[in-house]
Amino acid sequence: MRIGDFKETYAADEALLRTPPVRFWMAVFGVALVVFPWVAGDYPVYLADLVGITVISALGLNLLTGFTGQISLGHAAFMGVGAYTAAALSSRWGLGLWATLPAAGGVAAAFGLVVGAPSLRIKGLYLAMATLAAQVIAEFGFVHLESITGGIRGINVPPARLGPLEFGTDRALYAVIVAVAALATWFAANLKRSAPGRAFVAVRDRDIAAEIMGVPLFGTKLRAFALGAFYAGVAGALWAYFMKVVTPEHFPLSLSIHYLAVIIVGGLGTVIGSVFGAVFMTLVPEILRGLASLARPHYPEAMVLLSPMTDVVFGGLIVGFLLFEPHGLAEIWQRTKRFFRLWPFVH
């Protein structure tokens, strides 16, 4: 049982991983991530890629909605802009990851600045409607700007390249996705402790008070939109490489709602909540599918019955977490850690 946490330097006090047990378990987790593609089958690696992309995109939405309080229903549009940017650059000009990922994030961030411009005048449900309009406009552009997006047929995406290295399979792309997800998580965790991160939280908690204290309201909101869209654009680019084709059907409004569910279930305003939410919401359909497979010998219609239940389960989870655990899986994780910190003693 840990009974004290004594810091001797400012650097130790400001460290992201403050205690030896935390550093130890993070090292174990890092080794597990490295070893995973060597020991796991193709399907678990496929799911791990999906989780990694979801983590990156959910972090962006959490920075915008969870940290800054700006509700967005256009997150799928940001992902789509990034995906089409990466697809166009890689298929038409043969550019590698070194150019497509930053470009995808940059173009999505520019689109996010445009979408976030009304945030100075409107907020809450009105801002949500404005971002919904951006989502609809983006979907229209994905279909009708055929010279750029390829229309309904979309764009075939060549394998991701980084110099002489080619990442053409899910197993190879795993390294890229995990590296980008780790970098995105590290940046978000540090941003939360910085002055811009505290400005995000101040605007979320009481925007007028934050402005009186010197926080530039409009600039802070725009930075949150740009940063959230940058994350989504990078995730969209990785999605394009992962799916090997980009079509308008990949980025509907339901995807934006799905990401809202990810951060609500995981924990609004927490970095680790984005990770938990991504893992949980990606694996729930697989768990339902596994249950249906187990029940099939006894009840042949189980697959037909349980397949449409995925949306019902998603809706039930959101309502359940809002009612019984509004802080999401992140809060459950914190309570679990506090319990074992004092275990076996109660107080």
Side-chain angles (χ1 to χ4, degrees), residues 113 116-121 203 211 215-225:
L113 288 175
S119 62
L120 180 64
R121 302 293 300 271
V203 169
E211 188 174 28
V215 175
L217 205 57
F218 188 47
T220 302
K221 290 182 178 180
L222 281 186
R223 275 195 293 273
F225 264 99

Side-chain angles (χ1 to χ4, degrees), residues 167-343:
F167 306 93
T169 65
D170 294 345
R171 200 174 294 275
L173 198 57
Y174 171 88
V176 178
I177 293 174
V178 168
V180 175
L183 181 63
T185 305
W186 172 82
F187 182 83
N190 280 286
L191 176 69
K192 181 181 178 182
R193 309 181 305 163
S194 67
R198 293 189 178 96
F200 286 170
V201 176
V203 169
R204 178 197 64 188
D205 291 345
R206 190 72 68 179
D207 54 354
I208 296 178
E211 188 174 28
I212 293 173
M213 293 172 64
V215 175
L217 205 57
F218 188 47
T220 302
K221 290 182 178 180
L222 281 186
R223 275 195 293 273
F225 264 99
L227 190 58
F230 184 90
Y231 269 72
V234 172
L238 292 172
W239 173 264
Y241 286 120
F242 179 65
M243 298 301 292
K244 299 179 177 56
V245 65
V246 181
T247 65
E249 289 81 7
H250 287 164
F251 308 103
L253 174 62
S254 60
L255 184 63
S256 295
I257 297 173
H258 173 82
Y259 275 108
L260 278 175
V262 168
I263 61 173
I264 289 173
V265 171
L268 282 170
T270 61
V271 174
I272 198 168
S274 304
V275 179
F276 286 152
V279 173
F280 188 80
M281 297 299 281
T282 303
L283 295 185
V284 162
E286 304 305 319
I287 294 173
L288 289 177
R289 197 169 294 118
L291 292 175
S293 299
L294 291 175
R296 184 184 294 175
H298 309 285
Y299 184 60
E301 300 297 327
M303 187 66 76
V304 178
L305 178 64
L306 289 180
S307 293
M309 290 295 290
T310 303
D311 294 336
V312 178
V313 171
F314 279 166
L317 285 173
I318 295 173
V319 174
F321 272 96
L322 287 175
L323 288 175
F324 302 108
E325 189 51 85
H327 298 295
L329 295 171
E331 179 60 25
I332 297 175
W333 171 247
Q334 293 299 331
R335 282 205 302 266
T336 305
K337 286 201 305 182
R338 285 195 293 269
F339 172 80
F340 282 104
R341 188 175 299 161
L342 297 176
W343 187 85

Side-chain angles (χ1 to χ4, degrees), residues 73-89:
L73 293 175
H75 207 61
F78 298 147
M79 285 188 68
V81 170
Y84 276 108
T85 301
L89 292 178

Side-chain angles (χ1 to χ4, degrees), residues 140-151:
F140 180 85
F142 296 157
V143 174
H144 292 90
L145 295 177
E146 295 189 14
S147 60
I148 301 174
T149 64

